[in-house]
Coordinates of all heavy atoms in Angstrom, one line a residue:
M33 N 8.8 -7.7 6.4 CA 8.0 -6.5 6.3 C 6.6 -6.7 6.8 O 6.0 -7.7 6.6 CB 8.0 -6.1 4.8 CG 7.9 -4.6 4.7 SD 8.6 -4.0 3.1 CE 7.2 -4.4 2.0
I34 N 6.1 -5.7 7.4 CA 4.8 -5.8 8.1 C 3.6 -5.6 7.1 O 2.5 -6.1 7.4 CB 4.7 -4.8 9.3 CG1 3.9 -5.4 10.4 CG2 4.3 -3.4 8.9 CD1 4.2 -4.9 11.8
I35 N 3.9 -5.0 6.0 CA 2.8 -4.7 5.1 C 2.8 -5.8 3.9 O 3.9 -6.0 3.4 CB 2.8 -3.3 4.6 CG1 2.5 -2.4 5.7 CG2 1.8 -3.1 3.4 CD1 2.9 -0.9 5.5
K36 N 1.7 -6.3 3.7 CA 1.6 -7.3 2.6 C 0.6 -7.0 1.6 O -0.2 -6.0 1.7 CB 1.2 -8.7 3.3 CG 2.2 -9.3 4.2 CD 1.8 -10.7 4.5 CE 2.0 -11.1 6.0 NZ 1.0 -10.6 6.9
K37 N 0.7 -7.7 0.5 CA -0.3 -7.5 -0.6 C -1.7 -7.6 -0.1 O -2.0 -8.4 0.8 CB 0.0 -8.6 -1.6 CG -0.6 -8.4 -3.0 CD -0.3 -9.5 -3.9 CE -1.2 -9.3 -5.2 NZ -1.1 -10.4 -6.1
N38 N -2.6 -6.8 -0.7 CA -4.0 -6.8 -0.3 C -4.3 -6.1 1.0 O -5.5 -6.1 1.4 CB -4.6 -8.1 -0.4 CG -4.7 -8.7 -1.8 OD1 -4.8 -7.9 -2.8 ND2 -4.6 -10.0 -2.0
D39 N -3.3 -5.6 1.7 CA -3.6 -4.8 2.9 C -4.2 -3.5 2.5 O -3.9 -2.9 1.5 CB -2.3 -4.6 3.6 CG -1.8 -5.7 4.5 OD1 -2.7 -6.6 4.7 OD2 -0.7 -5.8 4.8
N40 N -5.0 -3.0 3.4 CA -5.5 -1.6 3.3 C -4.6 -0.7 4.1 O -4.4 -0.9 5.2 CB -7.0 -1.5 3.8 CG -8.0 -2.1 2.8 OD1 -7.9 -1.8 1.6 ND2 -8.8 -3.0 3.3
V41 N -4.1 0.3 3.4 CA -3.2 1.2 4.0 C -3.6 2.7 3.8 O -4.4 3.0 2.9 CB -1.8 1.1 3.5 CG1 -1.2 -0.3 3.9 CG2 -1.7 1.2 2.0
I42 N -3.0 3.6 4.6 CA -3.2 5.0 4.5 C -1.8 5.6 4.3 O -0.9 5.3 5.1 CB -4.0 5.6 5.7 CG1 -5.5 5.2 5.6 CG2 -3.8 7.1 5.8 CD1 -6.3 5.7 6.7
I43 N -1.7 6.5 3.3 CA -0.4 7.1 3.1 C -0.2 8.2 4.2 O -1.1 9.0 4.5 CB -0.4 7.8 1.8 CG1 -1.0 7.0 0.6 CG2 1.0 8.3 1.4 CD1 -0.3 5.7 0.3
S44 N 0.9 8.1 4.9 CA 1.1 9.0 6.1 C 2.1 10.1 5.8 O 2.2 11.0 6.6 CB 1.6 8.2 7.3 OG 2.8 7.4 7.0
S45 N 2.7 10.1 4.6 CA 3.5 11.2 4.3 C 3.7 11.3 2.8 O 3.4 10.4 2.1 CB 4.9 11.1 5.0 OG 5.7 10.1 4.4
G46 N 4.1 12.5 2.4 CA 4.3 12.7 0.9 C 3.1 13.4 0.3 O 2.1 13.8 1.0
K47 N 3.1 13.4 -1.0 CA 2.0 14.2 -1.7 C 0.7 13.5 -1.7 O -0.4 14.1 -1.9 CB 2.5 14.4 -3.2 CG 2.6 13.1 -4.0 CD 2.9 13.4 -5.5 CE 3.1 12.1 -6.2 NZ 2.5 12.0 -7.5
D48 N 0.6 12.2 -1.4 CA -0.6 11.5 -1.3 C -1.1 11.3 0.2 O -1.9 10.4 0.4 CB -0.5 10.1 -2.0 CG -0.5 10.3 -3.5 OD1 -1.3 11.1 -4.0 OD2 0.3 9.7 -4.2
K49 N -0.5 12.1 1.1 CA -0.9 11.9 2.5 C -2.4 11.9 2.7 O -3.1 12.7 2.2 CB -0.2 13.1 3.2 CG -0.3 13.0 4.7 CD 0.5 14.1 5.4 CE 0.3 14.0 6.9 NZ 1.0 15.0 7.6
G50 N -2.8 10.9 3.5 CA -4.2 10.8 3.8 C -5.0 9.9 2.9 O -6.1 9.6 3.2
K51 N -4.4 9.6 1.8 CA -5.1 8.7 0.8 C -5.1 7.3 1.3 O -4.2 6.8 1.9 CB -4.3 8.8 -0.5 CG -5.2 9.0 -1.7 CD -4.4 9.0 -3.0 CE -4.8 10.0 -4.0 NZ -4.0 10.0 -5.2
K52 N -6.3 6.7 1.1 CA -6.4 5.3 1.5 C -6.4 4.4 0.2 O -6.9 4.7 -0.8 CB -7.8 5.1 2.2 CG -7.9 3.8 3.0 CD -9.2 3.8 3.7 CE -9.6 2.3 3.9 NZ -11.0 2.2 4.3
G53 N -5.7 3.3 0.3 CA -5.7 2.4 -0.8 C -5.3 1.0 -0.5 O -5.0 0.7 0.7
K54 N -5.3 0.2 -1.5 CA -5.0 -1.2 -1.3 C -3.6 -1.5 -1.8 O -3.2 -1.0 -2.9 CB -6.0 -2.1 -2.0 CG -6.1 -3.5 -1.6 CD -7.3 -4.1 -2.3 CE -7.1 -5.6 -2.5 NZ -8.3 -6.1 -3.3
V55 N -2.8 -2.3 -1.1 CA -1.5 -2.7 -1.5 C -1.6 -3.7 -2.7 O -2.2 -4.7 -2.5 CB -0.7 -3.3 -0.4 CG1 0.7 -3.8 -0.9 CG2 -0.5 -2.2 0.7
V56 N -1.1 -3.3 -3.8 CA -1.2 -4.2 -5.0 C 0.1 -5.1 -5.1 O 0.1 -6.1 -5.6 CB -1.5 -3.5 -6.3 CG1 -2.9 -3.1 -6.4 CG2 -0.5 -2.4 -6.5
K57 N 1.2 -4.5 -4.5 CA 2.4 -5.3 -4.5 C 3.3 -4.8 -3.3 O 3.4 -3.7 -3.0 CB 3.1 -5.1 -5.8 CG 4.2 -6.1 -6.1 CD 4.9 -5.8 -7.4 CE 5.9 -6.8 -7.7 NZ 6.7 -6.5 -8.9
S58 N 4.0 -5.8 -2.7 CA 5.0 -5.4 -1.7 C 6.3 -5.9 -2.2 O 6.5 -6.9 -2.8 CB 4.6 -6.0 -0.3 OG 5.2 -7.3 -0.2
I59 N 7.3 -5.0 -2.0 CA 8.6 -5.3 -2.5 C 9.6 -5.3 -1.3 O 10.2 -4.2 -1.0 CB 9.1 -4.2 -3.6 CG1 8.0 -4.0 -4.6 CG2 10.4 -4.6 -4.2 CD1 8.1 -2.7 -5.3
P60 N 9.7 -6.4 -0.6 CA 10.4 -6.4 0.6 C 11.9 -6.1 0.4 O 12.5 -5.5 1.3 CB 10.3 -7.9 1.1 CG 9.1 -8.4 0.4 CD 9.0 -7.7 -0.9
T61 N 12.5 -6.5 -0.7 CA 13.9 -6.2 -0.9 C 14.2 -4.7 -1.0 O 15.3 -4.3 -0.7 CB 14.3 -6.9 -2.3 OG1 13.4 -6.5 -3.3 CG2 14.4 -8.4 -2.1
K62 N 13.2 -3.9 -1.3 CA 13.4 -2.5 -1.4 C 12.7 -1.8 -0.3 O 12.7 -0.5 -0.2 CB 12.9 -2.0 -2.8 CG 13.8 -2.3 -3.9 CD 13.4 -1.6 -5.2 CE 14.4 -1.9 -6.3 NZ 13.9 -1.6 -7.6
G63 N 12.0 -2.5 0.5 CA 11.2 -1.9 1.6 C 10.1 -1.0 1.1 O 9.8 0.0 1.7
S64 N 9.6 -1.3 0.0 CA 8.6 -0.5 -0.7 C 7.3 -1.3 -0.9 O 7.3 -2.5 -1.0 CB 9.1 0.1 -2.0 OG 10.3 0.7 -1.8
V65 N 6.3 -0.5 -1.1 CA 5.0 -1.1 -1.5 C 4.4 -0.3 -2.7 O 4.7 0.9 -2.8 CB 4.0 -1.1 -0.3 CG1 4.4 -2.1 0.7 CG2 3.8 0.3 0.3
I66 N 3.6 -0.9 -3.4 CA 2.8 -0.2 -4.5 C 1.4 -0.2 -4.0 O 0.8 -1.2 -3.8 CB 3.0 -0.9 -5.8 CG1 4.4 -0.8 -6.3 CG2 2.1 -0.2 -6.9 CD1 4.7 -1.5 -7.6
V67 N 0.8 1.0 -3.9 CA -0.5 1.2 -3.4 C -1.4 1.7 -4.5 O -1.0 2.6 -5.2 CB -0.6 2.2 -2.2 CG1 -2.0 2.4 -1.7 CG2 0.3 1.8 -1.1
E68 N -2.5 1.0 -4.7 CA -3.5 1.4 -5.7 C -3.8 2.8 -5.7 O -4.2 3.3 -4.7 CB -4.7 0.5 -5.5 CG -5.6 0.3 -6.6 CD -6.8 -0.6 -6.2 OE1 -7.5 -0.3 -5.3 OE2 -6.9 -1.7 -6.8
G69 N -3.6 3.5 -6.8 CA -4.0 4.9 -6.9 C -3.1 5.9 -6.2 O -3.4 7.1 -6.1
A70 N -2.0 5.5 -5.6 CA -1.1 6.4 -4.9 C 0.2 6.5 -5.6 O 0.7 5.6 -6.3 CB -0.9 5.9 -3.5
N71 N 0.8 7.7 -5.5 CA 2.1 8.0 -6.2 C 2.0 7.7 -7.7 O 2.9 7.0 -8.2 CB 3.2 7.2 -5.5 CG 4.6 7.8 -5.8 OD1 4.7 9.0 -6.2 ND2 5.6 7.0 -5.5
L72 N 1.0 8.2 -8.3 CA 0.8 8.0 -9.7 C 1.8 8.8 -10.5 O 2.1 9.9 -10.3 CB -0.6 8.3 -10.1 CG -1.7 7.4 -9.5 CD1 -3.1 7.9 -9.9 CD2 -1.5 6.0 -9.9
L73 N 2.2 8.1 -11.5 CA 3.1 8.7 -12.5 C 2.3 8.7 -13.8 O 1.9 7.6 -14.3 CB 4.4 7.9 -12.6 CG 5.4 8.5 -13.6 CD1 6.2 9.7 -13.0 CD2 6.4 7.4 -14.0
K74 N 2.2 9.8 -14.4 CA 1.5 9.9 -15.7 C 2.5 9.7 -16.8 O 3.5 10.3 -16.9 CB 0.8 11.3 -15.9 CG -0.5 11.4 -15.1 CD -1.4 12.4 -15.8 CE -2.8 12.2 -15.2 NZ -3.0 12.7 -13.9
K75 N 2.2 8.8 -17.6 CA 3.1 8.4 -18.7 C 2.4 8.4 -20.0 O 1.2 7.9 -20.1 CB 3.6 7.0 -18.4 CG 5.0 6.7 -18.9 CD 5.5 5.4 -18.4 CE 6.8 5.0 -19.1 NZ 7.2 3.7 -18.7
R76 N 3.0 9.0 -21.0 CA 2.4 9.0 -22.3 C 2.8 7.7 -23.0 O 3.9 7.3 -23.0 CB 2.9 10.2 -23.2 CG 2.3 11.5 -22.7 CD 1.6 12.4 -23.7 NE 1.3 11.9 -25.0 CZ 0.1 11.8 -25.5 NH1 -0.9 12.0 -24.7 NH2 -0.1 11.5 -26.7
Q77 N 1.8 7.1 -23.5 CA 2.0 5.8 -24.2 C 1.9 6.1 -25.7 O 0.9 6.7 -26.1 CB 1.0 4.8 -23.8 CG 1.5 3.4 -23.8 CD 0.5 2.5 -23.2 OE1 -0.7 2.5 -23.5 NE2 1.0 1.6 -22.2
R78 N 2.8 5.7 -26.4 CA 2.8 5.9 -27.9 C 1.8 5.0 -28.5 O 1.6 3.9 -28.0 CB 4.2 5.7 -28.5 CG 5.1 7.0 -28.2 CD 6.1 6.9 -29.3 NE 7.4 7.4 -28.8 CZ 8.4 7.4 -29.5 NH1 8.4 6.9 -30.7 NH2 9.6 7.9 -29.0
A79 N 1.4 5.4 -29.7 CA 0.5 4.6 -30.4 C 1.2 3.3 -30.8 O 2.4 3.4 -31.2 CB 0.0 5.3 -31.6
K80 N 0.6 2.2 -30.7 CA 1.2 0.9 -31.0 C 1.2 0.6 -32.5 O 2.0 0.0 -33.1 CB 0.6 -0.2 -30.2 CG 1.1 -0.2 -28.8 CD 0.5 -1.3 -28.0 CE 0.8 -1.2 -26.5 NZ -0.3 -1.2 -25.7
K81 N 0.1 1.1 -33.1 CA -0.1 0.9 -34.5 C -0.3 2.3 -35.2 O -0.8 3.2 -34.6 CB -1.3 0.0 -34.8 CG -1.1 -1.4 -34.5 CD -2.4 -2.2 -34.8 CE -2.5 -3.5 -34.1 NZ -3.9 -4.0 -34.0
A82 N 0.0 2.3 -36.4 CA -0.3 3.6 -37.2 C -1.8 3.8 -37.2 O -2.6 2.9 -37.3 CB 0.3 3.4 -38.6
G83 N -2.1 5.1 -37.0 CA -3.5 5.4 -37.1 C -4.2 5.4 -35.7 O -5.2 6.0 -35.5
Q84 N -3.5 4.8 -34.7 CA -4.0 4.8 -33.3 C -3.4 6.1 -32.6 O -2.4 6.6 -33.0 CB -3.4 3.6 -32.6 CG -4.5 2.5 -32.5 CD -3.9 1.3 -31.7 OE1 -2.8 1.3 -31.3 NE2 -4.8 0.4 -31.4
K85 N -4.2 6.5 -31.6 CA -3.7 7.7 -30.9 C -2.9 7.2 -29.6 O -3.3 6.2 -29.0 CB -4.9 8.5 -30.4 CG -5.3 9.5 -31.4 CD -6.3 10.5 -30.9 CE -6.9 11.4 -31.9 NZ -8.1 12.1 -31.5
G86 N -1.9 8.0 -29.3 CA -1.2 7.7 -28.0 C -2.1 8.1 -26.9 O -3.0 8.9 -27.1
Q87 N -1.9 7.5 -25.8 CA -2.7 7.9 -24.6 C -1.9 8.0 -23.4 O -0.8 7.5 -23.3 CB -3.8 6.8 -24.4 CG -3.3 5.4 -24.4 CD -4.4 4.4 -24.2 OE1 -5.5 4.7 -23.7 NE2 -4.2 3.2 -24.5
T88 N -2.5 8.7 -22.4 CA -1.8 8.9 -21.1 C -2.3 7.9 -20.2 O -3.5 7.7 -20.0 CB -2.1 10.3 -20.6 OG1 -1.8 11.3 -21.6 CG2 -1.2 10.6 -19.4
V89 N -1.4 7.2 -19.6 CA -1.7 6.2 -18.6 C -1.1 6.6 -17.2 O -0.1 7.2 -17.2 CB -1.3 4.8 -19.0 CG1 -2.1 4.2 -20.1 CG2 0.2 4.7 -19.3
S90 N -1.8 6.2 -16.2 CA -1.3 6.5 -14.8 C -0.8 5.2 -14.3 O -1.5 4.2 -14.2 CB -2.4 7.0 -13.9 OG -2.8 8.3 -14.4
I91 N 0.5 5.2 -13.8 CA 1.1 4.0 -13.2 C 1.4 4.3 -11.8 O 2.0 5.4 -11.4 CB 2.4 3.7 -14.0 CG1 2.1 3.5 -15.5 CG2 3.0 2.4 -13.4 CD1 3.3 3.5 -16.4
A92 N 1.0 3.4 -10.9 CA 1.3 3.6 -9.5 C 2.8 3.2 -9.2 O 3.2 2.1 -9.6 CB 0.4 2.7 -8.6
M93 N 3.5 4.1 -8.7 CA 5.0 3.9 -8.4 C 5.1 3.4 -7.0 O 4.3 3.8 -6.1 CB 5.8 5.2 -8.7 CG 5.7 5.7 -10.1 SD 6.4 4.5 -11.3 CE 8.1 4.6 -10.9
P94 N 6.2 2.7 -6.7 CA 6.4 2.2 -5.4 C 6.7 3.4 -4.4 O 7.2 4.4 -4.7 CB 7.7 1.4 -5.5 CG 7.9 1.1 -6.9 CD 7.3 2.2 -7.6
I95 N 6.2 3.2 -3.2 CA 6.5 4.2 -2.1 C 7.1 3.4 -0.9 O 6.9 2.2 -0.7 CB 5.2 5.0 -1.6 CG1 4.0 4.1 -1.6 CG2 5.0 6.1 -2.5 CD1 2.8 4.8 -1.1
K96 N 7.8 4.1 -0.1 CA 8.5 3.5 1.0 C 7.4 3.0 2.0 O 6.4 3.6 2.3 CB 9.3 4.6 1.8 CG 10.6 4.9 1.0 CD 11.7 4.0 1.4 CE 12.9 4.1 0.4 NZ 13.4 2.8 0.0
A97 N 7.7 1.8 2.5 CA 6.7 1.2 3.4 C 6.6 2.0 4.7 O 5.6 2.0 5.3 CB 7.2 -0.2 3.8
S98 N 7.6 2.8 5.0 CA 7.6 3.7 6.2 C 6.7 4.8 6.0 O 6.3 5.5 7.0 CB 9.0 4.1 6.5 OG 9.6 4.8 5.4
A99 N 6.2 5.1 4.8 CA 5.4 6.2 4.5 C 3.9 5.8 4.4 O 3.0 6.6 4.1 CB 5.8 6.9 3.2
V100 N 3.6 4.6 4.7 CA 2.2 4.1 4.8 C 1.9 3.5 6.2 O 2.8 3.0 6.8 CB 1.9 3.1 3.7 CG1 2.2 3.7 2.3 CG2 2.6 1.8 3.9
M101 N 0.7 3.6 6.5 CA 0.2 3.0 7.8 C -0.9 2.0 7.5 O -1.7 2.3 6.6 CB -0.3 4.1 8.7 CG 0.8 5.0 9.3 SD 0.1 6.2 10.4 CE 0.4 5.5 11.9
L102 N -0.9 1.0 8.2 CA -1.9 0.0 8.1 C -3.3 0.6 8.5 O -3.3 1.3 9.5 CB -1.6 -1.3 8.9 CG -0.8 -2.3 8.2 CD1 -0.4 -3.4 9.2 CD2 -1.6 -3.0 7.1
F103 N -4.3 0.2 7.8 CA -5.6 0.7 8.2 C -6.3 -0.3 9.1 O -6.4 -1.5 8.8 CB -6.5 0.9 7.0 CG -7.9 1.5 7.3 CD1 -8.0 2.8 7.6 CD2 -9.0 0.6 7.4 CE1 -9.3 3.3 7.9 CE2 -10.2 1.1 7.7 CZ -10.4 2.5 8.0
C104 N -6.7 0.1 10.3 CA -7.3 -0.8 11.2 C -8.8 -0.6 11.2 O -9.3 0.6 11.4 CB -6.8 -0.6 12.6 SG -7.7 -1.5 13.9
G105 N -9.6 -1.6 10.8 CA -11.0 -1.5 10.7 C -11.7 -1.2 12.1 O -12.7 -0.6 12.1
H106 N -11.0 -1.6 13.1 CA -11.6 -1.4 14.5 C -11.4 0.0 14.9 O -12.3 0.6 15.5 CB -10.9 -2.4 15.5 CG -11.0 -3.8 15.1 ND1 -12.1 -4.6 15.2 CD2 -10.0 -4.6 14.6 CE1 -11.9 -5.8 14.8 NE2 -10.6 -5.9 14.4
C107 N -10.3 0.6 14.6 CA -10.0 2.0 15.0 C -10.5 2.9 13.9 O -10.6 4.1 14.2 CB -8.5 2.2 15.2 SG -7.8 1.1 16.5
A108 N -10.7 2.4 12.7 CA -11.2 3.2 11.6 C -10.1 4.3 11.2 O -10.5 5.4 10.8 CB -12.5 3.8 11.8
K109 N -8.9 4.0 11.4 CA -7.8 4.9 10.9 C -6.5 4.1 10.7 O -6.4 3.0 11.1 CB -7.7 6.0 11.9 CG -7.3 5.6 13.3 CD -7.2 6.8 14.2 CE -7.0 6.5 15.6 NZ -6.9 7.6 16.5
G110 N -5.5 4.9 10.2 CA -4.2 4.3 10.0 C -3.5 4.1 11.4 O -3.5 5.1 12.2
V111 N -2.9 3.0 11.6 CA -2.3 2.7 12.9 C -0.9 2.1 12.7 O -0.6 1.6 11.6 CB -3.2 1.8 13.7 CG1 -4.5 2.4 14.1 CG2 -3.4 0.5 13.0
R112 N -0.2 2.1 13.8 CA 1.0 1.3 13.8 C 0.7 -0.1 14.1 O -0.2 -0.4 14.9 CB 2.0 1.8 14.8 CG 2.5 3.2 14.5 CD 3.6 3.6 15.4 NE 4.1 4.9 15.0 CZ 4.8 5.2 13.9 NH1 5.3 4.2 13.2 NH2 5.2 6.4 13.6
A113 N 1.4 -1.0 13.5 CA 1.1 -2.4 13.8 C 2.3 -3.1 14.4 O 3.5 -2.7 14.2 CB 0.7 -3.1 12.5
G114 N 2.1 -4.2 15.1 CA 3.2 -5.0 15.6 C 2.8 -6.4 15.6 O 1.7 -6.8 15.1
F115 N 3.7 -7.2 16.1 CA 3.3 -8.7 16.2 C 3.1 -9.1 17.6 O 3.6 -8.6 18.5 CB 4.5 -9.5 15.6 CG 4.5 -9.4 14.1 CD1 5.5 -8.6 13.5 CD2 3.6 -10.0 13.3 CE1 5.6 -8.5 12.1 CE2 3.6 -9.9 11.9 CZ 4.6 -9.1 11.3
N116 N 2.2 -10.0 17.7 CA 1.8 -10.5 19.0 C 1.6 -12.0 18.9 O 1.2 -12.5 17.9 CB 0.5 -9.9 19.5 CG 0.5 -9.5 20.9 OD1 1.3 -10.1 21.7 ND2 -0.3 -8.6 21.3
K117 N 1.8 -12.7 20.0 CA 1.6 -14.1 20.0 C 0.2 -14.4 20.6 O -0.1 -14.1 21.7 CB 2.6 -14.8 20.8 CG 3.6 -15.6 19.9 CD 4.5 -16.4 20.8 CE 5.2 -17.5 19.9 NZ 6.1 -18.3 20.7
I118 N -0.7 -14.9 19.8 CA -2.0 -15.3 20.3 C -2.2 -16.8 20.1 O -2.1 -17.3 18.9 CB -3.1 -14.5 19.5 CG1 -3.0 -13.0 19.8 CG2 -4.5 -15.0 20.0 CD1 -3.9 -12.1 19.1
A119 N -2.4 -17.5 21.1 CA -2.5 -19.0 21.1 C -1.4 -19.6 20.3 O -1.6 -20.4 19.4 CB -3.9 -19.4 20.5
D120 N -0.1 -19.2 20.7 CA 1.1 -19.7 20.1 C 1.2 -19.4 18.6 O 2.0 -20.0 17.9 CB 1.2 -21.2 20.3 CG 2.1 -21.5 21.5 OD1 2.7 -20.6 22.0 OD2 2.1 -22.7 22.0
K121 N 0.4 -18.5 18.1 CA 0.5 -18.2 16.7 C 0.9 -16.7 16.6 O 0.4 -15.9 17.4 CB -0.8 -18.3 16.0 CG -0.7 -19.2 14.7 CD -2.1 -19.4 14.1 CE -2.5 -18.2 13.2 NZ -3.8 -18.3 12.7
K122 N 1.8 -16.4 15.7 CA 2.3 -15.0 15.6 C 1.3 -14.3 14.7 O 1.1 -14.7 13.5 CB 3.7 -15.1 14.9 CG 4.4 -13.7 15.0 CD 5.8 -13.9 14.4 CE 6.4 -12.6 14.1 NZ 7.6 -12.7 13.2
V123 N 0.7 -13.3 15.2 CA -0.3 -12.6 14.4 C 0.1 -11.1 14.4 O 0.7 -10.6 15.3 CB -1.8 -12.8 14.9 CG1 -2.2 -14.2 14.7 CG2 -1.9 -12.4 16.4
R124 N -0.4 -10.4 13.4 CA -0.2 -9.0 13.3 C -1.3 -8.3 14.0 O -2.5 -8.5 13.7 CB -0.1 -8.6 11.8 CG 0.6 -7.3 11.6 CD 0.6 -7.0 10.1 NE -0.7 -7.1 9.5 CZ -0.9 -7.0 8.2 NH1 0.1 -6.9 7.4 NH2 -2.1 -7.0 7.8
V125 N -1.0 -7.4 14.9 CA -2.0 -6.7 15.6 C -1.8 -5.2 15.5 O -0.8 -4.7 15.3 CB -2.0 -7.1 17.1 CG1 -2.4 -8.5 17.3 CG2 -0.7 -6.8 17.7
C126 N -3.0 -4.5 15.7 CA -3.0 -3.1 15.8 C -2.4 -2.7 17.2 O -2.8 -3.3 18.2 CB -4.4 -2.6 15.6 SG -4.7 -0.9 16.2
K127 N -1.5 -1.7 17.2 CA -0.9 -1.3 18.5 C -1.8 -0.5 19.3 O -1.6 -0.3 20.5 CB 0.4 -0.6 18.2 CG 1.5 -1.5 17.9 CD 2.9 -0.9 18.0 CE 4.0 -1.9 17.9 NZ 5.3 -1.2 17.8
K128 N -2.9 0.0 18.7 CA -3.9 0.8 19.5 C -4.9 -0.1 20.2 O -5.1 0.0 21.4 CB -4.6 1.8 18.6 CG -3.8 3.0 18.4 CD -4.8 4.2 18.2 CE -4.2 5.5 18.6 NZ -3.0 5.9 17.7
C129 N -5.6 -1.0 19.4 CA -6.7 -1.8 20.0 C -6.3 -3.2 20.3 O -7.0 -4.0 20.8 CB -7.9 -1.7 19.1 SG -7.7 -2.4 17.5
N130 N -5.0 -3.6 19.8 CA -4.5 -4.9 20.0 C -5.3 -6.0 19.3 O -5.2 -7.2 19.6 CB -4.5 -5.2 21.5 CG -3.0 -5.4 22.0 OD1 -2.1 -5.5 21.2 ND2 -2.9 -5.6 23.3
K131 N -6.1 -5.6 18.3 CA -6.8 -6.6 17.6 C -6.1 -7.0 16.3 O -5.3 -6.2 15.8 CB -8.2 -6.1 17.2 CG -9.1 -6.0 18.4 CD -10.6 -5.9 18.0 CE -11.5 -6.0 19.2 NZ -12.2 -4.8 19.5
E132 N -6.3 -8.2 15.9 CA -5.6 -8.7 14.7 C -6.0 -7.9 13.5 O -7.2 -7.6 13.2 CB -5.9 -10.2 14.5 CG -5.1 -10.8 13.4 CD -5.4 -12.3 13.3 OE1 -6.1 -12.9 14.1 OE2 -4.9 -12.9 12.3
I133 N -5.0 -7.5 12.7 CA -5.3 -6.8 11.4 C -4.5 -7.4 10.3 O -3.5 -8.1 10.5 CB -5.1 -5.3 11.4 CG1 -3.7 -4.9 12.1 CG2 -6.2 -4.5 12.0 CD1 -3.3 -3.4 11.9
Ligands
ZN260 ZN1 -7.0 -0.8 16.0

């Protein structure tokens, strides 16, 4: 999978389209990623102890890796990425500017 943990991505489809965030987890077996602040699911959490109040927490749910684009700092936008061989090393590059991302 081309997207890894800690990558900066932009959501390219769905309800969070256009949102930028950081990948907190990549799930290659499912072809999904979890992006910080994207695809949030609000969940009510019950009080753990008597006397405590339950609270609503937002949990980022996985989204399809195909629905996110890598953010290229050189192009300053979401781009498609590919692999290129630079000095015999396989590196991930932006398909627009050909720079490593
Ligand atoms: Zn670029």
